[in-house]
Amino acid sequence: LGGGFRQDDIGVETLTFNDELYLGGLFDSIGNIKVKNIAKWNGSNWSPLGTGSDGQITALAVYNNELYAAGQFSVIGGITARGIARWDGANWHALANGFTTFGASDLYVYNNSLYAVGMFGITGCTACQNIAYWNGINWNGVGTNGLTDATNVALIEMNSKLIIGSHTETSPPTFLTEIRQWDGGTLTMFSKQNSVSVKKFYIFNNELYCSGGSGPTANVESLVSKWSVGASTCIPVGTGPNQSV
């Protein structure tokens, strides 16, 4: 589109909003236009969002009809915003004091709040460890202590509950993936499995699918898998791809 990236640029997240395509990642130009890690496409041209960020954009979401971006940045649009910020169409704004570390890997809107997950903390909020939600005014925690394992976390809503997938390296390079659900008041575990790393969730025919990578004991089919609520294992989908997805 309009000239695209250079070979060494990294595009991570895309999102459509108000009939425009937004792209976040790690790049300093697109379509011969100077941008810093975030840009939008109106169908004909690329354009920047302010002066962009000083680090990679890893997640995008729309909440209360405004664009939110998370990533490994401390400055975006010329303002200090640690790891997450809001774009009102003209300017960037911080969300309170932001994160104590930069590591949000996914954003998702659930029950009229914006959820962020990844590897981060929020000052003064014990339950905001690696997962928290923004109600438009304040950050709030999930469960008692948040998540202790939060590498490559993914979020999706299913059956009126927020599904949270995360994985940790238990004995490198073997992964333990844990799938939890949150109903707005209680955080519960419903599935664990070794050797599968979850990166994204999808809903198809009212069933939960995940994509990601695998450890050395996993079949290649595990790169795309179907989970059943309450099950202890996932079901491979076909023969699967031959690389992480």
Side-chain angles (χ1 to χ4, degrees):
L1 295 176
F5 295 115
R6 299 178 315 197
Q7 187 174 0
D8 57 348
D9 290 330
I10 302 173
V12 175
E13 286 293 316
T14 59
L15 180 146
T16 56
F17 175 48
N18 287 343
D19 297 322
E20 293 181 308
L21 176 68
Y22 289 79
L23 176 70
L26 184 62
F27 49 87
D28 58 14
S29 66
I30 187 169
N32 298 319
I33 303 296
K34 289 292 184 181
V35 296
K36 289 290 290 182
N37 305 316
I38 189 165
K40 65 178 180 178
W41 172 258
N42 64 6
S44 301
N45 300 292
W46 289 104
S47 59
L49 276 67
T51 56
S53 67
D54 65 349
Q56 183 176 351
I57 302 294
T58 55
L60 298 171
V62 173
Y63 174 60
N64 286 345
N65 204 39
E66 292 181 312
L67 179 73
Y68 286 71
Q72 300 169 5
F73 57 82
S74 58
V75 175
I76 187 168
I79 67 158
T80 299
R82 291 182 60 85
I84 190 166
R86 169 177 62 90
W87 172 254
D88 64 8
N91 298 291
W92 288 102
H93 304 270
L95 275 64
N97 293 323
F99 303 144
T100 56
T101 55
F102 318 135
S105 56
D106 204 2
L107 298 173
Y108 196 87
V109 177
Y110 171 72
N111 276 357
N112 299 315
S113 294
L114 177 69
Y115 283 74
V117 289
M119 297 184 70
F120 60 81
I122 294 175
T123 302
C125 181
T126 302
C128 295
Q129 182 181 4
N130 301 324
I131 183 168
Y133 66 91
W134 176 258
N135 61 11
I137 301 173
N138 302 306
W139 286 108
N140 300 271
V142 172
T144 303
N145 296 304
L147 297 175
T148 57
D149 53 329
T151 306
N152 278 357
V153 186
L155 297 172
I156 202 167
E157 183 177 355
M158 183 178 183
N159 298 331
S160 300
K161 295 181 179 179
L162 185 67
I163 306 300
I164 307 161
S166 62
H167 78 256
T168 52
E169 241 179 349
T170 54
S171 179
T174 300
F175 297 106
L176 172 66
T177 289
E178 298 182 329
I179 311 294
R180 296 174 174 86
Q181 57 188 13
W182 166 255
D183 61 7
T186 303
L187 182 65
T188 56
M189 180 83 66
F190 74 75
S191 189
K192 291 185 178 183
Q193 182 166 345
N194 287 321
S195 303
V196 177
S197 66
V198 59
K199 292 182 179 178
K200 285 290 184 181
F201 282 134
Y202 311 90
I203 302 295
F204 178 65
N205 285 343
N206 201 36
E207 293 183 301
L208 178 66
Y209 290 77
C210 68
S211 63
S214 62
T217 61
N219 294 327
V220 69
E221 291 91 339
S222 298
L223 298 172
V224 179
S225 305
K226 180 173 69 175
W227 293 82
S228 297
V229 175
S232 59
T233 60
C234 64
I235 304 169
V237 177
T239 57
N242 62 359
Q243 297 290 335
S244 296
V245 293

